[in-house]
Amino acid sequence: MVEATCVHPSIADLCERAASQHLPLLGYVDPCDDTVFNRSQLRALIPELRALADGSAAEEAEAVREILALTVQVERKAHRYLVFNGD
């Protein structure tokens, strides 16, 4: 069941920048396939997102805020996942 979504147009750019900075989680989001993060992985993903937001243009920073809002929902309850859908 999908509880919430984020379709911000800057997500792809954000992931590309994460890849260029060799970030171990967000940098490996696959643009052509689904990438799934569980609650445990969010402990590493959230700091990556916050670090990217610090040096982001307004559009990317907005995308980070929207993704961080989704992470709050994932953290609230077991068996929830943050999924980046590829093509």
Side-chain angles (χ1 to χ4, degrees):
M1 175 172 79
V2 175
E3 292 191 20
T5 61
C6 170
V7 293
H8 197 283
S10 293
I11 292 174
D13 294 335
L14 188 68
C15 292
E16 284 179 28
R17 195 156 58 86
S20 73
Q21 294 180 17
H22 307 290
L23 296 178
L25 293 178
L26 195 59
Y28 286 98
V29 169
D30 187 343
C32 299
D33 202 357
D34 294 347
T35 304
V36 181
F37 297 105
N38 63 33
R39 286 177 19 178
S40 181
Q41 291 168 315
L42 292 184
R43 284 182 245 153
L45 181 67
I46 290 170
E48 288 184 13
L49 287 164
R50 289 184 177 144
L52 285 170
D54 289 342
S56 292
E59 286 292 312
E60 284 186 9
E62 181 181 328
V64 168
R65 283 190 298 276
E66 290 182 20
I67 296 167
L68 286 171
L70 294 176
T71 66
V72 170
Q73 292 186 19
V74 173
E75 289 180 313
R76 282 191 351 231
K77 194 172 179 184
H79 307 294
R80 291 186 180 174
Y81 303 92
L82 179 65
V83 180
F84 287 79
N85 290 345
D87 291 10

